[in-house]
Amino acid sequence: MKKIISTLLVLALALGLCSVAMADTVKIGGIAPLTGAVSVYGLLVKDGVDLYVDEVNANGGVLGQQVEITWLDDIGDAVEATNAYNQLASSGICALIGPVTTTPTLAVGTRAAEDRMPMITASATAYDVTSAGDNIFRACFLDPYQAELMAQFAKENLEATKVAVLYDNTNDYSIGLQESFVAKAQELGMEVVASESAVEGDADYTPQLSKIADAEPDAVFICYYYETAALVLRQSVDVGLESWMLGADGWTNIQMQLEDDLSLLDKSAYCDGFSTEGGSEVTDAFVASFEAKYGTAPALFNALGYDAAKIMLTAIENAGTTEAEAVIEQLKATDIEGVTGHITFNDHNDPIKSAFIKGFENGEPTVITRIDP
């Protein structure tokens, strides 16, 4: 009987060890708006992250283990994002990719900082995102940086002397863009003749656009994501506004909203963090892999998701462990060739990398100029 019991115990232990071995993965969490008004950005980021995770797993994984990523939907809401983080943290993840938009990322960053959770957002651009803790990083450049570049573009490329701004004074992303654009425009000697606000997602922007039109600016900085920005472009024609219309990275894919009248983009330009034109070998390989997996060319948020995953998983591999402090140390030491350019981090955990100013030809984005750090 003792021999039987002993044998059963050995078998049980063996099965238990086998079970542990089979479940032995590097677990990371992903938070993004997978449904709701800003889900387009979440789904784009998720596709980029998933592609890199697939490639890593196909090549042996990280630390000799497969990477397991669990995605939760925050619908673009801070409370939902915080709940998602709490759920993921309780499940035993060792790192977080996300959230995607600024307000949820600010909320989650506070919790992640308290937990010392290694965290990287692909696309949240407000300055304070990485201020919450030295364990929080981003793959995109900041609102102030791109807003300043667009003010510089208005001055140097468009020879603008008068500019205006339309923004949402309830949205962190929009406020950050507006403040930095206005400050840089004034520094460059341009007159800010109008600064109008309206909530993103409204149906009618003609009251604000009429006031802007009366001020006769040479260029207008539209601080909205692409769906609202497209509506603003349509309504600007209705009020007789003929200025150049400028945007930031939230304008990515705006042409999809204007396919019935692509001429609305003829005098438009925006700041982007990714281009397939004249890319490096790394970028070219990414484009080919993305098209093979998804059947379409990658956009900025796809590329940012891919780079965010590359930064995080490279840091874990270089740390030789999933222990948080070791991973954070390696995140700070990041020095890689990403698909959005060569990436290192400054003291604020913001990436140092290139930016692109894009205009449109026949409705298709095309690079006007590349700005290197």
Side-chain angles (χ1 to χ4, degrees):
M1 178 62 73
K2 288 182 179 180
K3 185 174 182 181
I4 294 173
I5 293 173
S6 176
T7 302
L8 290 173
L9 285 171
V10 170
L11 286 172
L13 286 170
L15 288 171
L17 290 172
C18 182
S19 176
V20 170
M22 290 177 64
D24 201 10
T25 59
V26 174
K27 296 175 64 175
I28 61 175
I31 300 175
L34 305 178
T35 59
V38 291
S39 60
V40 61
Y41 300 107
L43 294 171
L44 289 170
V45 167
K46 180 179 182 296
D47 283 348
V49 172
D50 287 347
L51 175 60
Y52 188 75
V53 170
D54 287 348
E55 291 177 352
V56 166
N57 284 336
N59 286 285
V62 171
L63 305 179
Q65 301 170 354
Q66 293 290 283
V67 177
E68 177 187 346
I69 183 165
T70 301
W71 286 98
L72 293 181
D73 183 7
D74 67 13
I75 66 171
D77 178 77
V79 174
E80 291 292 333
T82 302
N83 291 338
Y85 172 77
N86 291 337
Q87 182 177 336
L88 289 168
S90 298
S91 74
I93 62 169
C94 67
L96 176 70
I97 299 176
V100 168
T101 54
T102 291
T103 300
T105 306
L106 288 168
V108 169
T110 301
R111 291 285 294 109
E114 293 172 356
D115 295 343
R116 300 296 293 163
M117 174 71 71
M119 168 179 161
I120 186 167
T121 172
S123 50
T125 50
Y127 179 83
D128 285 340
V129 160
T130 56
S131 298
D134 66 355
N135 58 308
I136 300 170
F137 297 76
R138 76 178 102 219
C140 59
F141 41 61
L142 285 73
D143 295 337
Y145 178 60
Q146 56 180 331
E148 289 170 3
L149 291 182
M150 293 314 297
Q152 186 175 324
F153 174 79
K155 175 71 173 181
E156 297 178 359
N157 293 68
L158 304 180
E159 299 181 348
T161 60
K162 299 190 299 181
V163 294
V165 185
L166 179 61
Y167 73 109
D168 181 349
N169 64 4
T170 68
N171 180 279
D172 294 312
Y173 171 76
S174 194
I175 292 169
L177 292 173
Q178 183 266 348
E179 291 177 344
S180 297
F181 181 86
V182 167
K184 188 65 175 181
Q186 292 172 336
E187 177 189 321
L188 294 172
M190 292 184 287
E191 181 183 3
V192 181
V193 294
S195 184
E196 296 292 323
S197 63
V199 175
E200 183 157 19
D202 279 355
D204 185 12
Y205 296 89
T206 54
Q208 292 83 8
L209 290 170
S210 294
K211 292 179 182 179
I212 291 173
D214 290 342
E216 299 183 344
D218 301 308
V220 185
F221 191 44
I222 308 299
C223 306
Y224 296 124
Y225 292 111
Y226 76 106
E227 290 179 310
T228 297
L231 179 59
V232 168
L233 292 188
R234 292 184 188 277
Q235 294 180 355
S236 67
V237 175
D238 298 337
V239 302
L241 182 58
E242 298 180 354
S243 309
W244 269 81
M245 309 298 271
L246 309 178
D249 57 357
W251 275 36
T252 299
N253 292 330
I254 190 173
Q255 68 275 14
M256 296 170 59
Q257 299 291 310
L258 298 169
E259 291 179 343
D260 61 315
D261 189 2
L262 292 173
S263 66
L264 291 168
L265 295 169
D266 288 347
K267 291 179 67 177
S268 296
Y270 69 103
C271 189
D272 203 343
F274 172 68
S275 175
T276 59
E277 298 177 41
S280 64
E281 290 184 6
V282 173
T283 302
D284 291 343
F286 162 68
V287 172
S289 295
F290 191 92
E291 290 179 342
K293 181 175 176 66
Y294 297 110
T296 185
L300 167 64
F301 283 75
N302 298 132
L304 290 173
Y306 187 93
D307 275 353
K310 184 173 186 176
I311 292 166
M312 183 60 76
L313 295 182
T314 299
I316 293 172
E317 183 70 37
N318 289 343
T321 176
T322 58
E323 193 273 324
E325 296 304 324
V327 174
I328 293 166
E329 181 179 349
Q330 289 302 318
L331 284 169
K332 291 179 181 295
T334 293
D335 189 349
I336 64 171
E337 191 65 33
V339 299
T340 59
H342 188 84
I343 301 171
T344 58
F345 286 108
N346 64 18
D347 292 340
H348 194 246
N349 292 353
D350 303 318
I352 302 170
K353 62 179 186 176
S354 303
F356 304 86
I357 307 297
K358 292 183 178 179
F360 295 87
E361 291 183 4
N362 299 318
E364 288 300 314
T366 184
V367 174
I368 298 175
T369 184
R370 171 176 172 155
I371 301 170
D372 293 316

